[in-house]
Amino acid sequence: MVNDEKIFFSSNQSALFAQTDIEFVITSRQGGFSQSPYDSLNLAYHTGDEKAHVTANRNAICQAFFPDKTLLWIDQIHSDIILDVASSKWRNDGFIGQGDALVCDQKDIACMVMVADCNPVLVYEPKIRTFALIHAGRCGVQKRILSKTIKHILKHPQAKAQNMLIFIGPSIRKCCYEIGKDLAATFPEKYLANNNLDLIKMLQDELSSQQIKPHQIEISPVCSCCQNNLFSYRREGITGRFGLIGALR
Ligand SMILES: [Zn+2]
């Protein structure tokens, strides 16, 4: 899995997740069918790319890494809406609805969130074999979608925060995420350096507030805006989306 150009990072490379019952991949820009400016492994239909290319890209990833699983995806709207596979229906193409978190406890399903600078986050509760994928950009972080998703999983009587494992994938980091003065004024000073916003620090504080300890958390060191093998909205404007795709083993 690790040596495929389509994969930027996978759970096999993760100190925290390699031995668990969940596997995930962060896709790269390479090995897909899309043409510039979506070249080439764009996984999102909503970017203006040709639909047939996106479908071919998704199929290539699924066949290579998640054969025998149905890929579910959401129409991401920068909300705090959580969709649970256990109580949802989906279309034949895997579309399950509008929202920004997808909770899954079913072995025959793979879930995907798509990003180009927003935070792709995975939450896993191994005791109840339930995971969530979250799309958390600035709006989603401000709406505390990560905490809300953790609380959703904790509704299960056997679930515990102390069991949970968290992965935060590549996203725009404080090196590149300059925001306007008026917007910056709406954030606590501790999350800002000049006018650069540190969403990772906000997510870490959220996790801490949910009793999740640093040893339960893995954060990719990669800034999507600095890394040319990932799509970046800030760097390129019109561009594709890379994916965080996860499934139970
Ligand atoms: Zn950067």
Side-chain angles (χ1 to χ4, degrees), residues 171-177 222-227:
S171 54
I172 192 166
R173 301 294 161 87
K174 61 183 176 184
C175 46
C176 294
Y177 196 18
V222 175
C223 170
S224 50
C225 193
C226 290
Q227 170 53 256

Side-chain angles (χ1 to χ4, degrees), residues 6 26 55 83 95 99 106 124 152 169 191 205 219 229 233 243:
K6 297 184 196 67
I26 295 282
T55 301
L83 298 175
F95 173 72
Q106 297 178 23
Y124 181 47
H152 177 96
Y191 299 128
D205 282 357
I219 301 174
N229 195 19
Y233 180 78

